[in-house]
Amino acid sequence: MSTTAITGAQVFDGEKPLGVTTVVIEGGRIVQVGGDAPDGARIVDGTGATLLPGLIDAHVHTDRASLALALKFGVTTELEMQGTNTRERRASISEDDSVADVRSSGFALTPPGGHPSELFPEGFHPGKASGPGGGHRGEPPYRPDATSPEAAAASIPQLIAHGSDYIKFMIDDGSVEGHPGLPMLDQATLNAGVTAAKKHGALTVAHVLTLDATRMAIEAGIDGLVHLFVEPATDEIVTMIKGAGAFVVPCIVLNASMMGITGDQLADDPRVASRLDTDWDATLRSCFGHYPQGKLQHVLDSVKALADAGVDLLVGTDASQPMPFLGGLAHGASVHQELQRLVAAGLSPAAALRAATATTARRFHLSDRGRIAEGLRADLLLVDGDPTVTISDTLNTRAVWRRGTRLAA
């Protein structure tokens, strides 16, 4: 069993900077933090760099090819928020250190004809757009029934039995996407589903893009919101979210795309361009564009208000497939832009980094990752510079490890 010692690097352990600290990895785990490198260890000189836990994207729709792209950017875990990479379907991914690890909600509870059906062109089937590299897109392991409170409650144990790691609820009337009047979960059905999930010990998350949908989710007892409303925050809603102990995945990059802001600036960064193929470059340079009346500053102000109130914020992107109508986002790359957006909203770089590492791991009960500590997975990102001072330094990738295996350059 080989031993690797990363020496000379500043270490951010997922919660705080540790200064220049030696980190030793062996057998896929971190076995030592601090002290001297063991005799015979392979030395990785981290002078001038910062060692971070592998980043976690808390909102994606993914497949094997996208997981490979994410890992190139130091994202070692993706949390799927509608998809098919459930427990029984991801065994090969879990053992493949050339791609990011994944957890999945399976398919979300939404009424027939409800969100996200309005996003796709006529005749488009998201499961047939996976492209090379395989992975699971297509027919879900289980499609929940959200036509009544009783049906929603009965769907929860089925989702869990079919491998969902957490349960997602879509609360969306289509107004933000330009399809007002879309079929949407009512409060009774939502309440029944969330209550059943809690009975079975499952974490619950909700897709919300409006203040009204957010109120519904909080009233139902949801654990986390995996989007942020596009309207300006009110004191009432911030107090509700804080009082409920819910976390928020703002997906600022997604809201920006909804408002017509493309990812051109990110795509123009040579540190990003060098890792994207033509399809992903074109997708990143596009946008959803369904809510041009929105103001990104309102989103940034809401993020700051939530942070100031002590709400746990998590980094997520809603990156999906390399299709321009799902544009403005790219796996891995958009995590770094989300970090920059969080800092632009007023978070410190360290707080933004926590949102992509330790906080996400804690809220999703991923106790084996998200921090640099003895006994945890050796999911690590080594970057030139110091992102606790300059957040964009997270893109200065020097090395990535997934379970102690260094990703080939």
Side-chain angles (χ1 to χ4, degrees):
M1 188 180 297
S2 63
T3 301
T4 298
I6 305 164
T7 65
Q10 300 276 347
V11 173
F12 178 82
D13 72 355
E15 295 173 342
K16 61 187 181 304
L18 300 182
V20 175
T21 306
T22 296
V23 174
V24 181
I25 58 180
E26 182 179 280
R29 297 276 167 178
I30 299 166
V31 297
Q32 179 184 320
V33 179
D36 298 325
D39 292 341
R42 180 188 296 112
I43 302 298
V44 174
D45 183 3
T47 303
T50 300
L51 186 68
L52 308 166
L55 305 178
I56 304 172
D57 189 335
H59 191 144
V60 300
H61 309 277
T62 196
D63 59 13
R64 184 180 290 275
S66 296
L67 291 164
L69 178 60
L71 191 62
K72 291 180 182 179
F73 285 93
V75 176
T76 53
T77 303
E78 289 195 326
L79 304 182
E80 186 173 62
M81 290 297 162
Q82 169 110 321
T84 58
N85 288 292
T86 47
R87 280 191 300 274
E88 290 74 15
R89 294 187 172 201
R90 62 171 181 256
S92 63
I93 288 171
S94 298
E95 297 304 315
D96 184 353
D97 293 324
S98 69
V99 301
D101 199 12
V102 65
R103 296 291 183 272
S104 180
S105 66
F107 268 47
L109 283 90
T110 192
H115 179 82
S117 62
E118 82 285 359
L119 295 179
F120 303 118
E122 186 176 353
F124 177 81
H125 189 293
K128 297 178 181 177
S130 175
H136 283 286
R137 292 201 196 261
E139 291 307 311
Y142 174 75
R143 190 180 294 276
D145 183 346
T147 56
S148 70
E150 296 77 16
S155 290
I156 301 305
Q158 290 294 324
L159 282 165
I160 295 169
H162 283 82
S164 293
D165 297 291
Y166 35 87
I167 308 298
K168 184 180 180 184
F169 299 84
M170 300 287 195
I171 315 172
D172 195 331
D173 66 358
S175 58
V176 176
E177 296 90 347
H179 289 78
L182 205 66
M184 187 181 84
L185 286 176
D186 59 38
Q187 190 73 59
T189 303
L190 175 63
N191 290 353
V194 173
T195 298
K198 290 183 179 297
K199 178 181 175 182
H200 286 85
L203 183 78
T204 58
V205 298
H207 163 107
V208 295
L209 286 171
T210 64
L211 290 169
D212 286 344
T214 300
R215 289 188 192 95
M216 287 180 64
I218 295 300
E219 288 173 7
I222 211 81
D223 293 306
L225 307 169
V226 292
H227 281 290
L228 181 61
F229 43 83
V230 293
E231 309 106 313
T234 64
D235 291 342
E236 173 218 12
I237 203 71
V238 172
T239 300
M240 282 184 70
I241 294 169
K242 172 60 178 175
F247 62 81
V248 177
V249 187
C251 292
I252 305 170
V253 289
L254 180 278
N255 282 2
S257 177
M258 294 293 291
M259 294 171 181
I261 301 170
T262 71
D264 280 336
Q265 183 177 0
L266 183 64
D268 287 339
D269 189 323
R271 299 171 295 179
V272 172
S274 62
R275 293 179 248 190
L276 298 183
D277 64 19
T278 302
D279 287 343
W280 275 115
D281 179 78
T283 299
L284 187 55
R285 293 181 184 280
S286 185
C287 66
F288 278 82
H290 299 315
Y291 195 72
Q293 67 269 39
K295 307 229 178 270
L296 186 60
Q297 189 59 51
H298 291 161
V299 177
L300 298 177
D301 291 345
S302 296
V303 167
K304 183 62 161 58
L306 291 166
D308 287 348
V311 172
D312 280 339
L313 299 176
L314 282 56
V315 164
T317 64
D318 206 4
S320 182
Q321 299 185 37
M323 302 276 175
F325 66 86
L326 301 172
L329 311 165
H331 286 268
S334 293
V335 168
H336 298 271
Q337 187 168 42
E338 185 74 2
L339 288 166
Q340 295 170 27
R341 296 282 196 197
L342 288 174
V343 172
L347 275 68
S348 69
L353 292 169
R354 284 193 289 273
T357 55
T359 303
T360 300
R362 172 170 53 82
R363 293 306 302 246
F364 276 88
H365 310 303
L366 300 172
S367 59
D368 63 346
R369 67 196 71 191
R371 293 176 295 121
I372 296 176
E374 293 176 6
L376 301 192
R377 284 171 59 111
D379 291 352
L380 300 167
L381 171 61
L382 185 67
V383 299
D384 290 321
D386 185 355
T388 67
V389 176
T390 304
I391 193 63
S392 61
D393 283 352
T394 58
L395 277 167
N396 297 332
T397 308
R398 189 185 292 191
V400 177
W401 290 265
R402 200 260 205 182
R403 292 195 312 176
T405 298
R406 186 168 178 171
L407 183 66

